[in-house]
């Protein structure tokens, strides 16, 4: 009887793991370490005597160093092998939180006559966190709109024109709603009102960025923010909850497309005035 010939590796072929795809550990890439479950953004890669390592920073600012072992990380749920960036490759241009190419040491532009109004304090804080650098370079000032009912008076007092366009972002802008009726009343060639479909801007933040699978369903008639806190097991303190949510937002990647597109649309609209 002929004996089978085995190489040094005696593992049967059907039990061997397939190689994981290699992903360059670029700064700000968000991955999860498979053993500990630690999730964070890449801060830096280093060459050590024990082999290459990567430093990750989680949403609370905590840093941890991990060896860059094969199949050692998850990227969007897929097992990957992180590799160090090539030292010969030119560095990628720095980007703002919105994904735009950053302009080092750029001064804020003198404010345009045009403005963007944002309904809700949390909405305004989120816009500032992601688009603040872009807005300062473009000279676009963001104003706080306390409620949609105030919008007709705001538009009347602002008097939008070709060189002073007005953009407005409102909550829960869906057909047939009060918000949609008011928006239709004030919209014209120099005034653009857009909105996201969410009950509250909290939902525009991807739940995976905050650390859970999906935003909870809150029964009709119950305060939505309080209901969310209760369902997630958080203290029933919406202010503290929002700071936790806002702190999880690092860039546009943490936001839903339904909000991203609307804010970009407003910035384009306002900056199209004044011969921009």
């Amino acid at each position: 009887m002929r004996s089978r010939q085995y190489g040094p590796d005696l593992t049967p072929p059907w039990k061997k793991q397939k190689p994981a795809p290699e992903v360059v550990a670029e700064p700000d890439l968000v991955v999860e370490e498979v053993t500990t479950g630690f999730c964070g953004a890449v801060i830096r890669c280093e060459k050590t005597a024990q082999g290459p390592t990567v430093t990750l920073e989680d949403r609370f600012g905590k840093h941890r160093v991990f060896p860059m072992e094969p199949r050692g990380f998850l990227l969007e749920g897929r097992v990957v092998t992180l590799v160090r960036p090539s030292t010969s490759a030119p560095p990628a241009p720095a980007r703002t939180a919105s994904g735009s190419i950053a302009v080092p040491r750029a001064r804020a532009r003198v404010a345009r006559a045009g403005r963007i109004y944002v309904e809700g304090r949390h909405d305004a804080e989120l816009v500032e966190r992601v688009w603040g650098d872009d807005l300062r370079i473009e000279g676009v000032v963001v104003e706080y709109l306390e409620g949609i009912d105030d919008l007709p008076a705001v538009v009347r007092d602002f008097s939008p024109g070709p060189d002073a366009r007005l953009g407005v972002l409102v909550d829960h802008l869906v057909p047939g709603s009060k918000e949609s009726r008011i928006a239709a009343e004030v919209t014209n060639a120099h005034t653009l009102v857009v909105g996201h479909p969410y009950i509250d801007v909290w939902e525009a933040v991807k739940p995976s960025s905050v650390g859970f699978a999906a935003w909870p369903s809150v029964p009709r008639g119950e305060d939505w923010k309080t209901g969310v806190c209760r369902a997630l097991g958080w203290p029933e303190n919406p202010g503290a909850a929002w700071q936790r949510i806002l702190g999880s937002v690092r860039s546009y990647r943490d936001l839903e497309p339904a909000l991203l597109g609307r804010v970009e649309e407003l910035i384009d609209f306002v900056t199209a005035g004044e011969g921009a």
Side-chain angles (χ1 to χ4, degrees):
M1 178 182 293
R2 295 178 59 189
S3 62
R4 295 183 180 181
Q5 297 297 317
Y6 292 98
D9 185 359
L10 301 181
T11 306
W14 59 89
K15 288 189 177 181
K16 292 182 179 179
Q17 289 183 323
K18 294 181 179 180
E22 293 186 347
V23 175
V24 178
E26 299 283 1
D28 295 330
L29 178 73
V30 177
V31 294
E32 178 182 340
E33 202 275 329
V34 295
T35 304
T36 63
F38 186 89
C39 183
V42 172
I43 299 299
R44 61 181 172 272
C45 297
E46 296 176 296
K47 184 178 180 181
T48 71
Q50 291 75 36
T53 64
V54 60
T55 301
L56 303 182
E57 180 185 50
D58 71 6
R59 64 180 182 273
F60 303 111
K62 182 179 180 181
H63 288 196
R64 287 190 63 176
V65 180
F66 298 99
M68 297 174 70
E69 297 180 343
R71 304 179 63 85
F73 298 87
L74 295 176
L75 175 62
E76 297 180 349
R78 297 185 303 113
V79 176
V80 299
T81 296
L82 289 185
V83 296
R84 296 175 64 201
S86 171
T87 55
S88 60
R95 293 187 176 273
T96 67
S98 72
S100 302
I101 295 177
V103 182
R105 297 180 297 277
R107 293 185 177 182
R109 174 174 170 166
V110 175
R112 295 171 181 266
R115 291 287 187 274
I116 292 178
Y117 273 78
V118 178
E119 182 190 13
R121 198 170 301 280
H122 292 177
D123 306 57
E125 290 176 351
L126 189 59
V127 168
E128 165 60 29
R129 188 171 188 89
V130 177
W131 288 275
D133 290 341
D134 306 65
L135 292 167
R136 280 182 281 278
I137 289 176
E138 293 290 349
V140 177
V141 175
V142 174
E143 302 277 1
Y144 167 56
L145 177 66
E146 187 169 357
I148 188 71
D149 293 329
D150 298 331
L151 185 55
V154 167
V155 175
R156 184 171 57 253
D157 294 342
F158 187 83
S159 299
D163 294 329
R165 290 185 165 196
L166 179 62
V168 185
L169 177 70
V170 300
D171 283 338
H172 203 227
L173 189 61
V174 295
S177 64
K178 177 185 73 172
E179 290 81 2
S180 65
R181 291 193 295 271
I182 294 177
E185 291 175 5
V186 301
T187 297
N188 55 50
H190 310 302
T191 304
L192 175 65
V193 182
V194 300
H196 56 73
Y198 307 112
I199 296 174
D200 191 275
V201 78
W202 289 17
E203 284 190 294
V205 179
K206 291 180 179 178
S208 58
S209 296
V210 190
F212 49 88
W215 288 99
S217 177
V218 177
R220 184 180 295 275
E222 182 178 352
D223 178 73
W224 190 83
K225 292 177 180 177
T226 302
V228 166
C229 294
R230 186 175 298 132
L232 293 175
W234 295 353
E236 294 181 18
N237 182 335
W242 170 242
Q243 291 308 311
R244 181 172 182 172
I245 295 165
L246 185 63
S248 71
V249 177
R250 297 177 179 277
S251 73
Y252 71 96
R253 296 184 182 91
D254 296 307
L255 302 183
E256 299 289 357
L259 177 66
L260 291 173
R262 302 294 74 74
V263 177
E264 297 286 350
E265 185 179 358
L266 287 177
I267 294 174
D268 288 345
F269 178 79
V270 172
T271 56
E274 301 182 41

